[in-house]
Amino acid sequence: MEVGTDIRDALGHPLRQELLAMLAASPEGLSLAELARRFPHLAISAISYHLRLLGTCGTASATWQDGSQTWRYGVDYARV
């Protein structure tokens, strides 16, 4: 998929649907490490790839948390 991915294409993958559901269920967001623990059979790079695609179509966003020095991913409700 390319930049500007259509939301229907992005959500057509079962893993991205599951990631988005997990993000929606966590108001404080989830870090990449937290998501990786929920998918021990997947490489972190694969999870990151799918998060990027969700971000490209505007359904997910990342916020830097200074206290924990990590990115937290969540649903971008303004764009969904």
Side-chain angles (χ1 to χ4, degrees):
M1 284 189 205
E2 299 176 12
V3 173
T5 299
D6 183 86
I7 191 169
R8 292 169 298 194
D9 293 334
L11 295 179
H13 192 284
L15 177 59
R16 290 191 287 272
Q17 292 172 11
E18 195 169 349
L19 284 170
L20 198 58
M22 286 180 176
L23 296 176
S26 180
E28 69 280 353
L30 295 167
S31 70
L32 186 55
E34 290 167 328
L35 289 166
R37 282 193 292 275
R38 296 176 188 209
F39 296 99
H41 60 286
L42 292 175
I44 289 177
S45 60
I47 297 168
S48 180
Y49 167 79
H50 289 287
L51 286 171
R52 268 194 321 274
L53 288 178
L54 289 171
T56 298
C57 74
T59 58
S61 62
T63 305
W64 179 252
Q65 299 291 309
D66 281 330
S68 61
Q69 296 291 299
T70 188
W71 288 97
R72 308 255 341 144
Y73 297 88
V75 175
D76 190 348
Y77 290 105
R79 299 195 59 194
V80 174

